[in-house]
């Protein structure tokens, strides 16, 4: 009896670890797709009071509607989002992840919903170009492409990691660092919202395509998402959302 119990526990444990991503058919049967995001990356994904909103949140909701599904949002720290796919905590992640080779080893990306890049933000006119980061301390959010990019800039004195992009920005605002590297549209919004804060944007360090991600190999779900996203771009739905947040079209041309 005792042995049986041990075995049963072992089986249950294995089942909990070897979880299978929900294929499209299963999601359709349940009627609801579980979406994961961060909620701390305005204007892409953020909380307005208790309401999760932002460019990619609205795009996701429009795409899901076209897929004939309902949605349920889960929000966690940026770092936990892609690993949560493998643990089947959500079906799809949309949180401004750029398509990279490294991430593509672990997840399957959909088509991009915007094109952007990393930009240097500082409070000093002499810190504007990649070469100006020589000997400087730079703030970035942990786990981002900004971290990877800044690490590659020769001569950077120190790269300081923060759990959120906002914390990295605050480090610059309180002059604990010389520069902050973030998304160009995040920076644009920041400058527009707080023109007197003393932030100035410098050069872009790199460009990237930003997409949502599903569990590695969950191609049926990715295909259905891509079809609906294409439709939402073609019929102007995404363009409208883009104008609302950025006063320009941020989709990839
Ligand atoms: N685009 C960058 C990357 O791919 C930053 C994403 C940050 N996203 C967020 N939800 N904070 O790493």
């Amino acid at each position: 009896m005792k042995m049986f119990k041990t075995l049963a526990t072992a089986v249950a444990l294995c089942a909990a670890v070897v979880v299978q991503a929900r294929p499209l058919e299963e999601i359709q049967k349940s009627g609801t797709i579980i979406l994961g995001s961060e909620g701390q990356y305005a204007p892409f994904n953020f909380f307005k009071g208790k309401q999760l909103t932002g460019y990619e949140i609205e795009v996701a909701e429009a795409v899901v509607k076209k897929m004939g599904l309902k949605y349920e949002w889960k929000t966690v720290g940026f770092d936990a989002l892609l690993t949560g796919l493998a643990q089947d905590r959500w079906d799809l992640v949309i949180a401004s992840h750029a398509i990279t080779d490294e991430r593509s080893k672990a997840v399957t990306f959909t088509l991009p919903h915007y094109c952007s890049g990393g930009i240097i933000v500082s409070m000093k006119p002499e810190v504007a170009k990649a070469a100006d980061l020589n000997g400087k301390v730079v703030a970035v959010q942990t786990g981002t492409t900004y971290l990877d990019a800044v690490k590659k800039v020769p001569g950077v004195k120190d790269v300081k990691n923060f759990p959120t992009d906002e914390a990295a920005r605050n480090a610059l605002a309180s002059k604990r660092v010389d520069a902050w590297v973030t998304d160009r549209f995040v920076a644009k919004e920041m400058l527009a919202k707080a023109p007197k804060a003393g932030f100035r944007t410098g050069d872009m360090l790199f460009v990237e395509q930003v997409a949502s991600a599903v569990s590695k190999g969950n191609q049926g779900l990715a295909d259905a998402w891509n079809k609906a996203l294409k439709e939402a771009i073609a019929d102007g739905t995404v363009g409208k959302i883009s104008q609302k947040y950025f006063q320009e079209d941020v989709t990839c041309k």
Side-chain angles (χ1 to χ4, degrees), residues 17-86:
V17 175
V18 191
V19 276
Q20 203 61 61
R22 291 202 303 164
L24 179 66
E25 298 67 38
E26 200 180 317
I27 297 169
Q28 281 168 336
K29 215 185 282 164
S30 82
T32 304
I33 186 169
I34 316 291
L35 304 171
S37 193
E38 184 199 31
Q40 305 197 64
Y41 198 56
F44 292 106
N45 64 75
F46 62 100
F47 280 94
K48 209 173 182 177
K50 283 199 170 119
Q51 184 69 36
L52 181 67
T53 190
Y55 167 72
E56 62 196 342
I57 302 300
E58 288 200 37
V59 167
E61 290 173 355
V63 170
V64 166
K65 198 171 157 199
K66 286 211 189 288
M67 291 167 79
L69 296 168
K70 292 201 199 70
Y71 53 80
E72 192 185 312
W73 285 105
K74 300 257 164 104
T75 52
V76 292
F78 182 66
D79 244 6
L81 282 164
L82 295 187
T83 44
L85 277 177

